[in-house]
Amino acid sequence: MDVINLSGRAAVVTGAGSGIGRATALALAGRGADLAICDVDESGLKETADRISGLGRRVLALKVDVADAAAMQEFAERTYAEFGRADVVVNNAGIGVGGNFVDVPIDEWNTILDINVKGVVHGCAAFIPRMIEAGRPGHVVNIASMAGYFAAPGMSAYSATKFAVIGLSESLAGELDEHGIGVSAICPGIINTPIVRSSRMYGEVGSEAMREQGARAFARRNYTPERVAQGILKAIQRNRVVAPVSPEAWAAYWLKRLFPGLMRVVMRWGMRRQAARNTQAS
Ligand SMILES: NC(=O)c1ccc[n+]([C@@H]2O[C@H](COP(=O)([O-])OP(=O)(O)OC[C@H]3O[C@@H](n4cnc5c(N)ncnc54)[C@H](O)[C@@H]3O)[C@@H](O)[C@H]2O)c1
């Protein structure tokens, strides 16, 4: 789909109250699209809505939990009532859960599956049938992660959800091609957003010191959500099904394909190094 000029089109972004969702909503508005946005965080959502209005675009901003299938259907109904169309749908809302498998409670698995997997499914179920019926070209963007093809230790719950998002997207891409609707699973690497502080962490990685260390590493890396938003526009333009964003995401993508054994050696080395650092710090 051509996203050079989106005037007269409407785009949808979930989890638009912060980070990658906000940056993507603003980037789409910058190309001329009107926006339907949702989030569970009303103040973050309002800030994004105000910035979209400031760009001269129309905006529908609703408090919606993507884990709630009925609420997502209603969000789609309100979007079509307001704009009469949805050309780009970005299923972005997501949370982080970290910790070794044995330390993560089953309840957390339910929560992260409900948001990161079923939230994307609900977005697809609410909008795709309407997009097909409209018969216009469109694009569905599902935000996965580098963790969707590179499963590092301590991230089993998060990685499982992102593997699922890539699988869903690859299958959908084949199904929707005949309708002129593209599908992209976006796989960002380490992006400087509030998610690193809001993620729920268990076991050793859940200590305040480890969380602080992680937040500092993300800040030092300083790959911004605005750069991810540009990567999303590029993936739509090129109709790329699996789209790594950031150098580390590309490196992991090729390493995993070309040298999977080397990848495991590097990971084990990283784990041992981290464990030695933890012992020194305690
Ligand atoms: N930051 C990274 O390093 C990174 C890397 C790869 C992938 N991602 C993915 O990018 C997406 C956006 O993450 P971010 O880094 O911008 O995080 P963020 O915390 O800045 O933004 C996530 C937004 O989603 C909203 N949200 C959470 N649960 C929701 C729900 N149930 N319903 C509606 N909204 C909800 C939050 O309120 C927040 O505004 C996520 O899917 C995340 O997994 C992030």
Side-chain angles (χ1 to χ4, degrees):
M1 183 186 165
D2 189 358
V3 285
I4 304 285
N5 180 355
L6 291 173
S7 36
R9 312 272 180 86
V12 177
V13 182
T14 69
S18 172
I20 294 168
R22 170 178 288 163
T24 305
L26 292 171
L28 289 161
R31 296 275 175 104
D34 293 323
L35 261 300
I37 57 174
C38 76
D39 204 295
V40 285
D41 169 16
E42 283 183 289
S43 70
L45 190 64
K46 184 178 178 318
E47 191 183 327
T48 307
D50 289 346
R51 288 175 63 181
I52 293 169
S53 301
L55 292 170
R57 307 314 325 157
R58 287 159 67 203
V59 58
L60 170 72
L62 296 177
K63 183 180 181 190
V64 177
D65 180 350
V66 296
D68 181 339
M72 283 299 286
Q73 284 293 340
E74 201 187 320
F75 179 44
E77 270 163 36
R78 296 276 305 271
T79 301
Y80 276 78
E82 185 74 19
F83 301 123
R85 59 195 298 155
D87 303 281
V88 177
V89 174
V90 184
N91 290 302
N92 160 77
I95 60 166
V97 170
N100 287 341
F101 178 82
V102 291
D103 295 320
V104 175
I106 285 296
D107 274 356
E108 281 295 12
W109 274 88
N110 292 330
T111 305
I112 196 169
L113 285 167
D114 279 349
I115 297 173
N116 290 15
V117 181
K118 288 175 76 184
V120 176
V121 173
H122 295 154
C124 291
F127 286 96
I128 289 171
R130 290 175 165 93
M131 293 169 82
I132 292 174
E133 202 189 330
R136 283 189 286 262
H139 208 95
V140 175
V141 174
N142 295 328
I143 307 298
S145 167
M146 170 173 94
Y149 48 77
F150 164 52
M155 295 179 70
S156 57
Y158 186 73
S159 256
T161 66
K162 297 304 186 179
F163 269 69
V165 170
I166 293 182
L168 165 70
S169 307
E170 284 189 339
S171 178
L172 265 180
E175 292 178 21
L176 298 184
D177 190 51
E178 63 173 302
H179 300 287
I181 300 171
V183 181
S184 297
I186 306 295
C187 306
I190 297 164
I191 315 302
N192 194 12
T193 72
I195 204 171
V196 64
R197 288 192 187 274
S198 61
S199 291
R200 292 189 287 245
M201 312 289 261
Y202 293 90
E204 214 172 77
V205 293
S207 71
E208 211 31 63
M210 287 290 281
R211 186 183 284 276
E212 200 43 50
Q213 197 177 311
R216 275 204 304 270
F218 271 58
R220 259 199 317 275
R221 171 77 187 86
N222 201 25
Y223 198 98
T224 64
E226 288 73 22
R227 288 177 76 183
V228 179
Q230 291 311 313
I232 290 171
L233 291 176
K234 200 190 278 181
I236 301 175
Q237 190 73 34
R238 296 184 178 172
N239 197 18
R240 197 181 167 94
V241 179
V242 178
V245 175
S246 79
E248 64 275 12
W250 275 109
Y253 180 81
W254 285 115
L255 252 167
K256 174 87 183 267
R257 265 152 195 76
L258 300 175
F259 310 106
L262 177 64
M263 192 93 171
R264 279 190 289 274
V265 171
V266 169
M267 246 163 4
R268 275 199 295 271
W269 172 80
M271 290 291 284
R272 275 201 295 271
R273 193 158 165 254
Q274 191 57 54
R277 276 192 187 156
N278 294 347
T279 315
Q280 264 174 9
S282 62

